[in-house]
Amino acid sequence: MPLRLQVFAVLILLALQFPLSPRAAEPDPGNWSAVLEEAKGQTVYWNAWAGEPRTNDYIAWAGKQVAERYGVDVVHVKLGDTAEAVSRVVAEKAAGTLTGGAVDLIWINGENFASMKRNGLLFGPWAESLPNFPLTDPDNNPGVRNDFTVPVEGYEAPWGKAQIVFYYDQAFVSEPPTTLAALLEWATANPGRFTYPLPPNFLGSTFLKQALLKLVPDTAPLYRPVDESDFAVVSAPLWSYLDTLHPQLWRQGRAFPANSTEMRRLLADSEIAISLSFNPAEASSAIANGEFPDTVRSFVLDGGTIGNVSFLAIPFNASNKAGAMVLANFLLSPEAQARKQDPAIWGGETVLVMDRLDPDERALFDRLDLGVASLKPDELGAIIPEPHPSWMEHLEAEWQRRYTDQ
Amino acid sequence: MLRVVPYLTVALLVGPILAGIAGAFLPAFGWMPTLGGSSLTLEHWAHLFQRPGLWTSVWISLASGLITPAVSLAIVFLFLSGSGGTWLDRWLKRAISPLLSIPHAAAAFGLAFLIAPSGLIVRFLSPWLTGWDRPPDLLIVHDPSGLAMMAGLIAKEIPFLLLMSLAALPQIDAPRRLAVARSLGYGPVTAWLKAVAPGLYPLIRLPIYAVIAFASSTVDVALILGPTNPPTLSVAVVRWLNDPDLSLRFVASAGALLQLLVTFSALLTWHLMERLLGFCARAWYTNGRKGHCDRLLAKAGAGGITLAAFAAFAGLAGLAVSSFAGFWRFPDTLPQAITMKHWVRALPNIEGPFVTALLVGLVATSISLILVLAALENEVRSNHPAGRRAMRILYLPLIVPQVAFLFGLLIGLEAVGVRPGFWPVAFGHVLFVLPYVYLSLAEAYRQLDPRWIMAARTLGNTPTRAFWMVRLPMLTTPILTAVAIGLAVSIGQYLPTQLLGAGRVPTITTEAVALATGGDRRVIGVWALVQALVPALGFGLALLLPRLVWRHRRQLREVH
């Protein structure tokens, strides 16, 4: 073989070999000092929804802290939708990029997590090895181990808590309707002043689940896969409720807002007078931000509302896994969680359990002024767990079948 | 060397385009092993056709693709025919090109704030005239038939078609055509429609096709102004693609192909209408009638343009006021308090993305301009239409819905080992900038009187020298306009920047879109103004430069 051809053949062999070469050793989450050592000097690309300047400012603050304390640089990859990061990871896997991926950490929960986990797109388990993880009291706090009933199994670390709250403008609503019947009555008396986001937006779908949970005589079937019960029978009360409610909604139910932020804008513009959110501090922080009049207050439904936890996950092919873990651990620290809960900064509820903290750490939370429109922890009422995810899919499909294109 | 440029251009672009289309095609028929699709099947098409409201979505997209260009074109032609050089006409012609620089999303936000029941107009009239102290429950924005969306598109496409027309008019010697017709006794509008329009239309046909493609497949304008339940087809595709249920991506791919079909249908319908109208108009050209309510038509054109300019400017002004607003309760005409807070918060985050956006835009536009100029010069010199046919492939990126196309491109780039970063982003922008540069320059280039070059050659100049010394200077205005449009297109790109850069190449647009999902109008106001700034600079230069460079050459200093 002439020399040139030989060189060529070697090059081709090298090129073919490259993807097959053994993968770089993954960091061992159990050996935290080794993780800290490996993380030093890494740059973590944190993919997180960036629709809120206050959230972005908080993320920038956290990045600065982690850079100063652990030598880990953080770049906030600003997303309009978490699906953009999921797309990226899917494309990388499809193209065979098994190491050196572009996404290091994703702010995620619910269906996005379920499908990434199901499709083998996540690295783990790692989350339960974080030194700060025990502060969430996982044994007595099932919310951090189940994401919409899907077992987390250490594939994502808890970051924030969410619970459905309603908020209303006292200028237009004298007595907040705390039952579904009262809500319907109020909407009928005030046509066009209430709405909910268009399913399958997660807040809109959660409103459907929330309503169904209140309307069925027995909620047990909702926590089992939908196939085990008669969907039409169980969901019937919801449809008859919505059939009555929709003509009374904003725009007679012929258009729906896209998401919770559009709901917020509608309330700020006095188009609607009652709205809902997954963030219990939404009203207070919007007042602090000058978006809402200070006549806005929050309420929950009698008997409690749906709540869940949002998480941080590391893709299977992330380039900087150790740095991502160090960042996730810092975000779970009492210091970072207390700052996050401060409505003047962000107003996102903590996942930490107070009796797991030192008195000093607890004081960080006790000191917070939760704002005039926030409910106190005991006023928030019981947290109702999310139903089995199969219900969400069926409810969304049936809703679209009934109410699309009328 | 020059001869290979069209093929080089096409070869350079054909790979990404094929990868992009394959990325939509294969999953639509079930092939996507990463998500467990490893056999070919038609089941995803069945799913697609079972989606509630699908046909309404298709109809709205198709209607938007035909009504938007028709109305925009009618207004532009009537305005041009009736504009007699009054100060208002001159002012409108100048004011309209900055409108082009406002990104679609920003213009749509502005319009939504203008016409919504809680928007600026109602605020101005309430409660003293309307008696409303709360916004009325009227379905104006997001109306089910998409009228608000089409209005927003029309307001944005009028400046585009007007600018394209103004750039093309000098090529057909409109003043002389008009003078002849007028001297034969035709009314001003009729004279223009009979003598100038038939010459102008072929020159702006490609821009019109781009408008059709855009109007039938836009995502951002449809999200902000369009119907919600069901939405337009393009928005439905984005929803499926962004659905956490990854299996819906197969349906989304099928939907993307259906979108392709809808856009093609709109183009085909337009083409057939074009033929039909051309056939019917032949008798009208020569029937000798000298007037058709000329004054009324001229008024309609001026009115349409004024309305579009007003809507866009007032909407932008509303966003500008919002960006300084403290608390702003309905029905207050102005905010209760003025604050710099939103600007102060945003400014530290603006500089980096601003510079990046400018760099990406300049690189993408320069590459596109060089390739387009070389391809056109080759075409003109060799008088060889093959290159022209090959260039048609350039329109594919405009017609294939971005969401589906880019995902395939992303896999392609990953597979050949291209890592996300500045260059993939700049290259991705070329895919979308180049067609616009091409279509805004091509006809002006071809129509330049060949006798100029012949004259230069007979005076002993090489073709190259004739190109640099005669053709380029004479085409300064169309070239600068093309650059400004290229820059504006580049600035407007969200998905290519985000996907090909893995979010690591933040531009003002990626920042703006991410913040826009937060829905705070004051923040949106800040970023929309910043976003409009870059292309506005481009258009400003396109207007100013010819005046400066050709201050001693009156004929080259075309007034726009």
Side-chain angles (χ1 to χ4, degrees), chain A residues 246-269:
Chain A
H246 275 193
Q248 314 299 335
L249 290 182
W250 180 77
R251 310 292 185 251
Q252 302 89 47
R254 292 194 296 144
F256 286 85
N259 48 37
S260 65
T261 51
E262 194 173 338
M263 297 274 290
R264 197 169 71 191
R265 192 167 68 211
L266 291 179
L267 190 109
D269 284 339

Side-chain angles (χ1 to χ4, degrees), chain B residues 30 70 90 112 136 151 160 193 282 289 308 318 321 338 342 345 356 390 396 434 447 453 457 483 496 501 523-524:
Chain B
R90 278 201 305 275
F160 177 61
L193 290 179
R282 219 171 287 161
R289 271 194 67 183
V321 174
I338 294 295
H342 316 299
R345 183 169 231 158
T356 311
L396 275 175
L434 197 139
Q447 300 296 325
I453 303 298
R457 293 292 308 278
V483 167
V523 179
I524 293 170

Side-chain angles (χ1 to χ4, degrees), chain A residues 280-344:
Chain A
E282 177 113 345
S284 285
S285 52
I287 292 175
N289 199 27
E291 278 177 80
F292 283 176
D294 57 11
T295 51
V296 175
R297 294 292 181 274
S298 307
F299 70 97
V300 286
L301 298 178
D302 295 345
T305 49
I306 289 181
N308 65 40
V309 173
S310 68
F311 295 82
L312 300 162
I314 302 177
F316 76 103
N317 63 351
S319 304
N320 303 288
K321 296 189 175 96
M325 282 190 255
V326 170
L327 174 59
N329 187 55
F330 173 74
L331 292 169
L332 208 44
S333 68
E335 181 191 356
Q337 289 276 317
R339 189 179 167 90
K340 181 164 167 284
Q341 184 151 356
D342 187 348

Side-chain angles (χ1 to χ4, degrees), chain B residues 285-361:
Chain B
Y285 289 139
T286 52
N287 68 359
R289 271 194 67 183
K290 310 248 192 286
H292 294 271
C293 329
D294 277 36
R295 246 186 239 161
L296 194 74
L297 287 178
K299 286 238 163 65
I305 290 260
T306 315
L307 199 64
F310 166 78
F313 277 122
L316 205 63
L319 287 183
V321 174
S322 296
S323 73
F324 292 103
F327 183 54
W328 192 358
R329 166 130 267 189
F330 186 89
D332 296 345
T333 309
L334 287 171
Q336 280 167 12
I338 294 295
T339 170
M340 294 296 293
K341 191 171 74 176
H342 316 299
W343 282 93
V344 169
R345 183 169 231 158
L347 277 178
N349 302 321
I350 285 177
E351 193 199 333
F354 188 86
V355 173
T356 311
L358 203 60
L359 279 179
V360 172

